[in-house]
Amino acid sequence: MPRTEKRVTTKPLIFGLIFFAACTADRGGSIPAADLAGEYARSSASARKKYDGKTIVVRGRLEKTPEMPATAEAEGLAMIEAGERLVVCRFTHASRPAFSRLAAGRTITVEGVFNGERGTELTFCKLVSAM
């Protein structure tokens, strides 16, 4: 009986890896809080069109120690300095352990969903890093 060789094509695997890398890649890094607040101050309509409803990564210094949520349903608040303005970062009770270790003056990077309805505000914040 003749032996037949099966050729394994790597195209699907390569395509899958490229697709995965594109989906998980850092798309431009973090935005300095002062830049985000400045952009919003220049044109809230433009900033909202660009960021509203999108998950973004922002970095800056904590103005004060974050306020912890009192209950599982409540939100915590972290205020990030942005020049003369602030970026408000709202986080859930599930993120409390990460934010509870922070103190005023620490530089942090957070990821959250931009909501420009009340100013430069992120909801569902998660702590990415703290220095």
Side-chain angles (χ1 to χ4, degrees):
M1 185 188 285
R3 187 172 183 193
T4 59
E5 287 186 37
K6 286 187 179 181
R7 249 188 126 173
V8 177
T9 178
T10 58
K11 287 180 185 176
L13 177 62
I14 292 171
F15 176 78
L17 289 172
I18 292 169
F19 180 76
F20 177 77
C23 289
T24 59
D26 184 1
R27 292 178 179 85
S30 60
I31 304 165
D35 290 357
L36 180 63
E39 189 173 343
Y40 187 89
R42 284 188 298 281
S43 173
S44 61
S46 176
R48 290 191 68 190
K49 184 176 180 180
K50 184 175 180 180
Y51 298 115
D52 258 0
K54 295 182 178 144
T55 300
I56 60 174
V57 178
V58 176
R59 74 179 178 283
R61 277 176 29 119
L62 279 172
E63 181 206 30
K64 60 181 183 176
T65 300
E67 297 173 22
M68 294 299 118
T71 66
E73 295 79 30
E75 294 179 318
L77 290 175
M79 308 294 213
I80 302 170
E81 294 175 359
E84 295 178 10
R85 299 171 186 82
L86 294 172
V87 171
V88 176
C89 181
R90 297 182 181 278
F91 58 93
T92 65
H93 193 269
S95 293
R96 179 184 176 139
F99 283 93
S100 68
R101 296 188 297 257
L102 302 176
R106 298 250 338 243
T107 298
I108 64 169
T109 302
V110 294
E111 177 183 86
V113 178
F114 186 83
N115 178 3
E117 197 171 303
R118 296 182 285 188
T120 49
E121 182 174 290
L122 302 177
T123 57
F124 304 107
C125 284
K126 292 181 174 61
L127 184 65
V128 175
S129 68
M131 295 181 198

